[in-house]
Amino acid sequence: MRQDIEVLVVEDDPTVLTVVSDYLRRRGYSVTGISDGGAARETLRTARPDVLILDRMLPGVSGDELCRQVRLDSPHTPVIMLTVLDAVEERIDGLEHGADDYLSKPFALRELQLRVDALVRRARGQHVSPSAFTLGPFRVNPTQRRISVDGDEVALTTREYELLLFLLQNPGRVLSRDDILREVWGWTFGEPSTVTVHVRRLREKIEPEPRFPRYLLTEWGRGYRFTVEEAA
C-alpha cells in the first residue's frame, strides 16, 4: 500500500514542489513538501522518510549538504536528486554526495513515481536473497540488509548495498556497466558514469587501499569483476 510510503520533497521552485507533491498524493503517497534547505535540515533531524526527493539548488542549505547530512544520520534512506542540467558532471556531483538516483529537469512525473517505487522496494528488502551467506571476509544478512567485512559492518546506502550484494552473488564474473545498470538500477539504458561513481564509493568503504583494490577489480574495456582470491 502506498499510503505507508512517506516521501519528503525538498524543492524551492513552488510550481515544481506543488506539481510533484500533488501528483504523488493523488497516487496514495504520504507527502511532505519543503521549499527551504534550512527548514529541511531541521525536519531531517527527526524525520525518517521512506524516500527523499531533493533539489540540488536550494536557498539556505544546498541539496548537496542535505544529502551529506542524510548519509551521516540515516545511511539507508533512499535519495533521488533533482538536477537542472542534463550534464554528466551534474549527475556525478549528485551521486558523489550520496544520492541513490537522479532525474534531470524537466522530468516525467510517472518516471519519478516509478523510481520512488523501485527504491522503496529495494530498501524494504522485497528482492533479496532469502538466507545469509559468507564469501571470504564478507558476511551478508539479507533480512537485515547488512553486510560486514571481517566482522565490521559496512555503512551502505540503499544503492551501495544493492550493488555490493549483486557483486557478491556473482563472484569472478566480469560484469559490464550495462549489466550493473540493468540488474541493480533496473534501467535498460543509462549513464555509465552512474556505475563508475558508485564503484568508487564502494571501494572507499570495503577496500583496505581503495587506490589498489583487492576485491572489486576493473577489467579494462569490459567492466568489473568481484573476487576474494587476490585477498587470500
Side-chain angles (χ1 to χ4, degrees):
M1 295 295 290
R2 287 176 181 152
Q3 287 84 351
D4 68 346
I5 299 177
E6 297 185 6
V7 181
L8 177 60
V9 182
V10 186
E11 167 64 64
D12 67 323
D13 185 316
T15 300
V16 175
L17 179 61
T18 299
V19 170
V20 169
S21 299
D22 288 349
Y23 180 87
L24 293 176
R25 287 192 189 102
R26 288 197 302 271
R27 278 148 185 80
Y29 303 87
S30 175
V31 182
T32 300
I34 299 177
S35 60
D36 177 81
R41 181 169 60 183
E42 292 304 312
T43 298
L44 287 167
R45 294 188 191 280
T46 55
R48 291 294 179 265
D50 294 294
V51 176
L52 173 61
I53 299 174
L54 183 61
D55 186 26
R56 284 198 70 196
M57 305 300 293
L58 292 168
V61 178
S62 71
D64 292 341
E65 180 58 34
L66 285 174
C67 193
R68 285 193 293 267
Q69 176 189 324
V70 170
R71 286 294 161 250
L72 291 173
D73 298 340
S74 183
H76 300 297
T77 298
V79 178
I80 299 176
M81 190 79 82
L82 304 180
T83 63
V84 177
L85 301 175
D86 188 20
V88 173
E89 292 78 10
E90 285 280 320
R91 296 195 294 268
I92 289 177
D93 283 347
L95 296 170
E96 289 281 17
H97 287 100
D100 296 287
D101 207 343
Y102 64 85
L103 278 174
S104 299
K105 299 177 182 178
F107 52 84
L109 292 170
R110 176 60 175 161
E111 181 179 7
L112 175 62
Q113 178 193 339
L114 291 174
R115 296 199 182 195
V116 168
D117 288 344
L119 284 171
V120 171
R121 283 197 303 270
R122 292 177 183 276
R124 294 184 175 181
Q126 295 182 12
H127 300 290
V128 296
S129 176
S131 59
F133 67 93
T134 299
L135 181 68
F138 295 87
R139 174 69 176 173
V140 181
N141 185 331
T143 302
Q144 298 182 351
R145 297 180 64 82
R146 299 182 186 279
I147 299 177
S148 61
V149 183
D150 290 324
D152 296 325
E153 183 179 338
V154 184
L156 299 169
T157 68
T158 297
R159 196 67 80 183
E160 289 167 352
Y161 171 84
E162 293 292 336
L163 174 57
L164 182 53
L165 179 63
F166 178 60
L167 294 169
L168 287 166
Q169 290 173 329
N170 293 274
R173 177 184 167 193
V174 177
L175 301 164
S176 70
R177 290 173 176 82
D178 287 341
D179 291 333
I180 295 172
L181 281 173
R182 182 174 58 254
E183 298 298 329
V184 178
W185 272 260
W187 299 352
T188 55
F189 62 91
E191 174 55 53
S193 62
T194 301
V195 176
T196 304
V197 171
H198 278 79
V199 165
R200 182 163 61 245
R201 281 168 40 190
L202 200 54
R203 281 174 172 160
E204 292 172 354
K205 296 185 177 184
I206 68 171
E207 297 283 0
E209 176 48 71
R211 293 179 302 169
F212 306 100
R214 301 165 63 186
Y215 306 117
L216 182 42
L217 308 179
T218 298
E219 295 286 341
W220 295 107
R222 302 174 66 194
Y224 301 99
R225 177 169 58 90
F226 194 88
T227 181
V228 295
E229 295 178 3
E230 285 78 357

